[in-house]
Amino acid sequence: MILVLVETGADGAAVTSLETLTFARQLAGRLGTQSVEAMVTGSLEAAATVRDQLAAQGVESVHHAGGPGMDRYSAGAWATALAAVPSDYVMAAGTPRGSEILAHVAARAGTSMAANVVDVVDTDPVTVSRQVMGGAAFEQMRVDGSPTVITVAGHAVEPADAARPSDPAWREFEPELTEADLATAVVRVEEGEADNTSALTGARVVVGAGRGVGGADDFDDLLELTDLLGATLGASRVVTSLGWRPHYEQIGQTGSRISPDVYIACGISGAVQHWAGCQSAKTIVAINTDADAPMVTGADYAIVGDLHEVVPAINEELRRRTAPDAAE
Amino acid sequence: MTNVLICIKRVPEISGEILLSDDQYSIDARHVGYTLSAHDECAIELGVGLAKDTGGHARVLSIGAAGAAEQLRYAVAVGADSATLIEADPEAFGPADVAAAIASEVRQAQMSFELILVGNDAADTGDFQVGVRLAYQLDRPVLTGINTAEIRDATVLARGAGPQGVDVFEIPLPALIAVQEGGVEPRYPSIRGRMKAKRLKIEQKAAPLEPAGSGRVRLTLPEPKPSTVHMLGEGPDAAPALVDVLARSGVLNR
């Protein structure tokens, strides 16, 4: 059985968890001997939505780990919940929490763990292909021990419903937690820079800002473009390192991996680390003064020019075309 | 007083083209050099600050080839007090091996380290697990994805980005924290720091165990994609062509 940890929020299951369920179902289909079951945790905010999503994914059973110890996030407690359901494979999305919880699962079981897996290339012994070097290279890795512990890289697969929805059995249980499990629980959540990676990772259009923007006070044009397109703003590492934009907007190896329909990279040179975060975009547009910049040569479309001249012109054209009396 | 052990890893600099060794088992970094992960740099900054604030000692430790002395000296140049190198073939050591070797060193060290910091994940192998495995080896509480931390008596108060805001944790010392970039700004080495780093004698040790390995079979690179960029033009005059692309992609708000 393949047990998938499903992260949930106010809108239901996270997109990255749905991707992982699809990944697990595809593997189960290849193996022919495995079923897919899901683990959800804590007080589910959108239980009905989650139930529908898991049914659409064809999940056979849902294990809901509840009780007072599961209300606040603690990686150890989540790992205990997963370990309470014997399985052949344990999978989670390669999110911060998914990675942390599965590291606990692997450390306790004395098994290896493969992070950011994009494919299972063999099952005897289990051998996976996974992203390394921030996605700029792949490693074929043998995953030893039982259960096989895998985090699935974001966008390794598109989330897709099963051919036939299931009517999953829903099992409520309260894991037996130790003091150590609860010692690392979140004591409170403060307002501030949320790990808002889901806004970037789920965005249809992303406007990316690089060093070419010039300074922290020079984002007006890009913010207007973002607004006009209903897009989400992202940034290269240098922009967040310089403190021009918050870290959660960073795209790349140590930031978010995005897969929008369109990515507009403005003033970004396109280092390997940045490409690692944006290469899953369906269409990439680069605006840069340097026609030879890797961001330009690797893009689908490019404009050579100063973004502070080009972006206002794009904004004006967008306003013109989307005006109520625009004749097209 | 809180003594802090900061565990760092020498990784290939991969901002340019990546080349593989002939046997496809490792990155050929001969022409690009080595560096530290961004998370490791933040772990150094955080650890040096916490040790200084509490009158404690900050030691950096690395498991790797002799060349890792370069990264250890850098850490000393930005404020670490001492450095230990456990010489080992980094390719042969998987994350469980690294955790076991560090745990062995911690147990044997004459100094007790109330806080151990690691980077959240390595820029090269991206395993996301050394910190957690080390915590289990040493029977300590562990947090990952932490941006900032402060010592309060016998506990450490730590903050990291969570799904709804900033997650705050308070765990008892001794503890282990995996640091994520974004909370502290790594400093640059001062001339004085560089001089200190140059003079420092790095404690060198042999690996205390035979590694079980990482499970690596081989590395592959994605197929190089020939440039197929379609130039829309130069300067603001090209804006309408770009908006046409957006319209064809179906992303214009209507």
Side-chain angles (χ1 to χ4, degrees), chain A residues 169-189:
Chain A
W170 191 280
R171 183 175 80 91
E172 301 279 350
F173 79 109
E174 203 169 307
E176 286 182 31
L177 303 177
T178 64
E179 262 183 51
D181 287 336
L182 298 170
T184 54
V186 172
V187 291
R188 64 177 181 276
V189 177

Side-chain angles (χ1 to χ4, degrees), chain A residues 56-254:
Chain A
Q57 284 285 339
V59 167
E60 280 203 9
S61 297
V62 181
H63 306 269
H64 179 200
M70 299 300 291
D71 282 344
R72 292 180 300 156
Y73 174 68
S74 176
W78 265 234
T80 295
L82 284 167
V85 180
S87 60
D88 300 305
Y89 288 79
V90 182
M91 291 189 191
T95 57
R97 286 190 172 178
S99 306
E100 182 179 39
I101 295 161
L102 262 54
H104 280 263
V105 171
R108 291 179 187 184
T111 66
S112 55
M113 162 179 146
N116 282 324
V117 170
V118 296
D119 193 15
V120 177
V121 295
D122 202 350
T123 53
D124 187 23
V126 177
T127 307
V128 300
S129 176
R130 70 183 193 98
Q131 293 175 346
V132 292
M133 312 292 154
F138 298 97
E139 176 188 63
Q140 280 202 7
M141 174 188 166
R142 201 186 60 245
V143 193
D144 296 323
S146 180
T148 302
V149 181
I150 286 174
T151 71
V152 177
H155 318 307
V157 295
E158 292 264 332
D161 289 347
R164 276 194 306 274
S166 59
D167 181 15
W170 191 280
R171 183 175 80 91
E172 301 279 350
F173 79 109
E174 203 169 307
E176 286 182 31
L177 303 177
T178 64
E179 262 183 51
D181 287 336
L182 298 170
T184 54
V186 172
V187 291
R188 64 177 181 276
V189 177
E190 294 175 350
E191 273 186 37
E193 208 175 281
D195 176 23
N196 200 13
T197 45
S198 59
L200 263 180
T201 53
R204 277 192 75 204
V205 185
V206 173
V207 174
R211 189 194 285 273
V213 175
D217 299 328
D218 300 320
F219 279 80
D220 290 354
D221 298 332
L222 290 186
L223 288 169
E224 187 183 10
L225 175 61
T226 303
D227 191 43
L228 286 165
L229 291 171
T232 303
L233 189 72
S236 68
R237 177 157 183 255
V238 68
V239 166
T240 58
S241 294
L242 288 168
W244 296 354
R245 298 297 304 178
H247 183 262
Y248 69 81
E249 290 181 354
Q250 187 175 314
I251 295 165
Q253 184 179 10
T254 53

Side-chain angles (χ1 to χ4, degrees), chain B residues 15-28:
Chain B
S15 53
E17 191 182 358
I18 293 178
L19 297 174
L20 300 184
S21 59
D22 289 341
D23 61 3
Q24 289 197 303
Y25 196 79
S26 55
I27 298 289
D28 181 353

